[in-house]
Amino acid sequence: MPDPTEWESLKSDAKAKELFILSFIDASRQVSTVMQYYEYEWDNEGFGIDQHTWLKYEGAYRNLTYKEKDKVDGLPIMPLTGKTRISSTQIIDDKYILNLIGSRIRNEKGYKTVDDETLRLIYEEIQGLSDMGQAEQAKLLKEFVETELITRHIKAELDFDEAFNNWKAEGLGREVSKFAKTWGIDESILGRSLEQFDLGQKDLIPYKEDLQKSIDFDKAENQEAGAQLPHLFLLMGKVLPDWFVEMKGRYS
């Protein structure tokens, strides 16, 4: 994949996607080995790639595999958390983007607003967030900008990141309520379980027994399984774990 920012083109090509993943894993292990040296320093000529482009390949890998249990776990790639700068390249994460946007928008008549040029720069930064492996968060942030900031729905007294987090929480609450009604499961237990769910331990469902006991096939809008027991197996075996991964990937 010559351009790592075109990773979405691989989503519909299973063979090409698998080839990229295997190639990236090999390259990442090489990088990890080199980084163990005491005098490690990124070398564009020696590595055949500049570090910023490498971070975009890491981002492509993250975006393509965040739902897959057997790909991301244990792979030695540079963590975004805690890093602010590598070889003069700013690490772009969601906190950085939120702070940047908050510093660029202005207050007008009691609400936050943004001009066209600033909006263009914001979209560039959001795209950078996607390129660095946080595509789901980038989509959500772009939606927030378009539905709340551009339309002047954010009150001036709120910090931008606080408004965004409140909006995300409301959106996640709606998702939980919708899922609970669709599958006939207790909404409050589902919410607590999702809150405690860890993407690093995808096989562990918090409050699993409580969730199972709360499932009521007769109340479920989706009754494709036909009866309580197969409904429970379908929900707990695949549907719920997949949904947890999707929600955490989007709203974390």
Side-chain angles (χ1 to χ4, degrees):
M1 187 166 59
D3 183 354
T5 65
E6 295 183 355
W7 58 270
E8 286 190 279
S9 65
L10 302 185
K11 293 171 70 174
S12 58
D13 188 336
K15 186 175 292 186
K17 175 183 173 181
E18 185 65 18
L19 179 59
F20 167 74
I21 288 172
L22 293 174
S23 299
F24 176 82
I25 289 174
D26 285 343
S28 182
R29 285 173 177 155
Q30 293 288 342
V31 171
S32 179
T33 299
V34 174
M35 288 176 66
Q36 294 177 38
Y37 287 90
Y38 177 72
E39 294 184 357
Y40 158 77
E41 183 178 349
W42 193 274
D43 183 349
N44 291 349
E45 183 177 350
F47 295 171
I49 186 175
D50 66 79
Q51 194 170 24
H52 189 64
T53 302
W54 171 251
L55 291 174
K56 289 183 179 180
Y57 277 108
E58 283 192 355
Y61 178 84
R62 284 189 174 96
N63 288 332
L64 287 168
T65 62
Y66 82 93
K67 291 184 180 181
E68 300 176 28
K69 299 178 183 179
D70 59 337
K71 299 297 182 184
V72 179
D73 295 344
L75 184 66
I77 60 179
M78 296 177 186
L80 293 178
T81 304
K83 290 183 177 289
T84 56
R85 187 173 295 278
I86 298 178
S87 298
S88 300
T89 298
Q90 177 68 50
I91 293 297
I92 299 175
D93 58 16
D94 52 351
K95 291 181 180 178
Y96 166 77
I97 296 293
L98 288 169
N99 289 334
L100 189 65
I101 294 175
S103 68
R104 287 178 171 174
I105 57 181
R106 65 180 189 275
N107 297 328
E108 186 176 291
K109 297 181 180 179
Y111 292 90
K112 296 189 182 299
T113 186
V114 63
D115 58 53
D116 290 342
E117 176 58 18
T118 301
L119 183 61
R120 183 188 68 79
L121 295 173
I122 286 173
Y123 281 146
E124 285 184 359
E125 298 293 347
I126 291 175
Q127 182 59 49
L129 180 66
S130 179
D131 292 344
M132 292 300 171
Q134 299 188 59
E136 292 300 314
Q137 292 91 331
K139 290 177 184 176
L140 205 64
L141 184 52
K142 184 177 180 182
E143 180 184 346
F144 178 69
V145 167
E146 292 177 344
T147 60
E148 301 297 314
L149 177 59
I150 294 176
T151 55
R152 301 191 180 191
H153 287 161
I154 306 174
K155 292 184 178 180
E157 61 266 23
L158 280 178
D159 290 335
F160 185 80
D161 58 344
E162 180 184 1
F164 178 60
N165 288 330
N166 291 343
W167 179 81
K168 277 203 309 181
E170 292 172 1
L172 182 57
R174 289 192 294 270
E175 294 280 6
V176 169
S177 180
K178 179 181 177 182
F179 188 90
K181 291 177 181 177
T182 300
W183 293 96
I185 193 168
D186 185 272
E187 183 176 333
S188 61
I189 300 175
L190 179 65
R192 291 201 304 273
S193 179
L194 176 59
E195 183 179 359
Q196 296 296 319
F197 179 73
D198 183 357
L199 280 173
Q201 297 179 302
K202 298 175 185 177
D203 292 324
L204 299 179
I205 303 297
Y207 306 109
K208 186 173 183 178
E209 291 185 4
D210 292 337
L211 285 170
Q212 290 175 332
K213 291 177 182 178
S214 78
I215 297 171
D216 188 339
F217 174 74
D218 293 331
K219 293 182 179 180
E221 295 175 353
N222 185 325
Q223 298 191 347
E224 62 184 77
Q228 174 76 14
L229 192 57
H231 179 79
L232 186 150
F233 287 153
L234 173 63
L235 178 58
M236 299 302 298
K238 179 171 176 57
V239 175
L240 183 67
D242 287 352
W243 183 76
F244 270 16
V245 171
E246 181 182 355
M247 292 298 103
K248 278 291 185 176
R250 185 184 305 170
Y251 288 98
S252 63

